[in-house]
Amino acid sequence: MNSEAIVKDQVDAWFAKWTTLQANIHEAHDARNGTAKGLMEEAIKLFEQLVQAAGDEVLPINGVERLAFIKAKPGQYACYRQLDELFKETKKRTARLRIQASKN
């Protein structure tokens, strides 16, 4: 685990980017205009960069399998929902890891 990468300010920056992408992906799914897939691919890269920077410890349970599911069909709404859940769980996990690291 990269303790510097899970500092609150850095984590918040990753999740701020996700919040922006999330809104755009949601709008694209509502509009059914075909742009959701490209936005999802961008969001998948963002998630992978976060995990790479922070370390595999931040991945939620079954994170690798769930990410593989998302990457298989990024244009599907179910994959968007799954990625949203991965981001939420990762945020909670980084907070927990940050607290544990500060106690040591």
Side-chain angles (χ1 to χ4, degrees), residues 11-37:
V11 170
D12 286 349
W14 289 101
F15 291 105
K17 290 178 188 175
W18 165 242
T19 301
T20 302
L21 272 171
Q22 178 191 25
N24 293 338
I25 294 167
H26 189 78
E27 287 176 23
H29 276 293
D30 281 349
R32 300 184 190 272
N33 60 12
T35 60
K37 183 178 179 184

Side-chain angles (χ1 to χ4, degrees), residues 5-75:
I6 63 166
V7 173
K8 185 166 179 16
D9 293 341
Q10 290 192 355
V11 170
D12 286 349
W14 289 101
F15 291 105
K17 290 178 188 175
W18 165 242
T19 301
T20 302
L21 272 171
Q22 178 191 25
N24 293 338
I25 294 167
H26 189 78
E27 287 176 23
H29 276 293
D30 281 349
R32 300 184 190 272
N33 60 12
T35 60
K37 183 178 179 184
L39 292 167
M40 277 292 292
E41 289 168 348
E42 187 179 339
I44 291 166
K45 286 179 189 171
L46 178 68
F47 184 78
E48 290 175 329
Q49 290 168 354
L50 167 62
V51 171
Q52 183 178 10
D56 289 337
E57 294 88 357
V58 300
L59 270 175
I61 296 173
N62 299 331
V64 173
E65 294 85 358
R66 292 161 67 188
L67 189 57
F69 166 77
I70 294 164
K71 290 170 84 173
K73 295 184 181 177

